[in-house]
Amino acid sequence: MHAAVVYYSLEGNTRLAAQSLASRLGAELFEVETVKPYPTHGLAKFFHGGKDSTFGRLPQIKPLTMDPSSYDLVVLALPMWAGKAAAPINSFIKGRQFGNAKVAFVIASASGDATSCAKDLAGKLGRSVGNTAVLSLKDPAKMPREELGGQIDAFAKQLTSPAGGAF
Ligand SMILES: Cc1cc2nc3c(=O)[nH]c(=O)nc-3n(C[C@H](O)[C@H](O)[C@H](O)COP(=O)(O)O)c2cc1C
């Protein structure tokens, strides 16, 4: 299966999960980076990212040559910001065609409940969340490594099983 994992991470939680999943899937790994970095400390951290996600702003991202429609499977990995997808992932999605690629999400959050975020993201892709495999992780960098590894393994199996898991 020709698979890609595309991730954005402000503080490393999503990066850890994305790297681990890509290695288990044998997938290509792409990092979305903003031209202007978001603050990582204090109130500014929540203010700027929260505002951009809430109001659907699209921060400028560094050039990334990646055509989702050329893959069988594209996993989008991202932190939840203000109950929605982190804004830089929306910048990645904008203008890209996903064609027949299956899409799955890995969503990192402080609460571990990414229901609203998955729905928001699936809608942006014109997909139904019921037909999209979602792995919701509570601050993966803080999880015991064995627990994270177990969840990533199970998700990789779901994505590659002939039955197609949640697809
Ligand atoms: C701007 C901003 C908004 C956030 N909003 C939420 C939220 O609405 N719900 C939640 O559970 N966590 C929220 N978080 C926490 C992150 O989703 C969580 O810590 C995630 O694991 C961070 O991933 P990262 O290290 O890859 O950036 C927010 C964090 C930031 C920076």
Side-chain angles (χ1 to χ4, degrees), residues 9-14 45-46 49-50 79-83 108-111 139-140:
S9 181
L10 181 63
E11 297 183 281
N13 289 276
T14 312
K45 172 172 113 175
F46 294 98
M80 176 160 88
W81 283 359
S109 66
S111 65
D139 285 338

Side-chain angles (χ1 to χ4, degrees), residues 34-36 38 52 57-61 81 87-91:
T34 53
V35 170
K36 187 178 170 205
Y38 281 95
D52 284 0
R57 296 203 178 130
L58 299 174
Q60 195 183 349
I61 58 172
W81 283 359
I89 279 291
N90 294 330
S91 301

Side-chain angles (χ1 to χ4, degrees), residues 24 144-157:
R24 276 164 179 81
R145 288 296 180 269
E146 318 80 71
E147 190 188 330
L148 177 61
Q151 291 211 34
I152 296 282
D153 273 344
F155 194 58
K157 280 199 189 98

Side-chain angles (χ1 to χ4, degrees), residues 31-152:
E31 180 176 10
V32 174
E33 294 176 278
T34 53
V35 170
K36 187 178 170 205
Y38 281 95
T40 52
H41 292 97
L43 269 183
K45 172 172 113 175
F46 294 98
F47 178 74
H48 292 286
K51 176 171 56 69
D52 284 0
S53 285
T54 299
F55 296 110
R57 296 203 178 130
L58 299 174
Q60 195 183 349
I61 58 172
K62 295 183 183 174
L64 190 56
T65 307
M66 193 275 176
D67 173 14
S69 69
S70 69
Y71 291 85
D72 303 311
L73 169 69
V74 178
V75 181
L76 297 177
L78 52 133
M80 176 160 88
W81 283 359
K84 294 183 168 187
I89 279 291
N90 294 330
S91 301
F92 170 79
I93 290 170
K94 180 83 179 168
R96 280 190 164 84
Q97 302 299 320
F98 282 71
N100 292 325
K102 289 178 180 173
V103 177
F105 305 145
V106 174
I107 303 173
S109 66
S111 65
D113 179 1
T115 314
S116 60
C117 181
K119 205 173 164 197
D120 171 56
L121 202 49
K124 288 203 166 82
L125 292 166
R127 310 265 175 139
S128 146
V129 75
N131 291 326
T132 307
V134 180
L135 176 62
S136 172
L137 296 168
K138 185 171 175 175
D139 285 338
K142 291 186 190 155
M143 285 171 72
R145 288 296 180 269
E146 318 80 71
E147 190 188 330
L148 177 61
Q151 291 211 34
I152 296 282

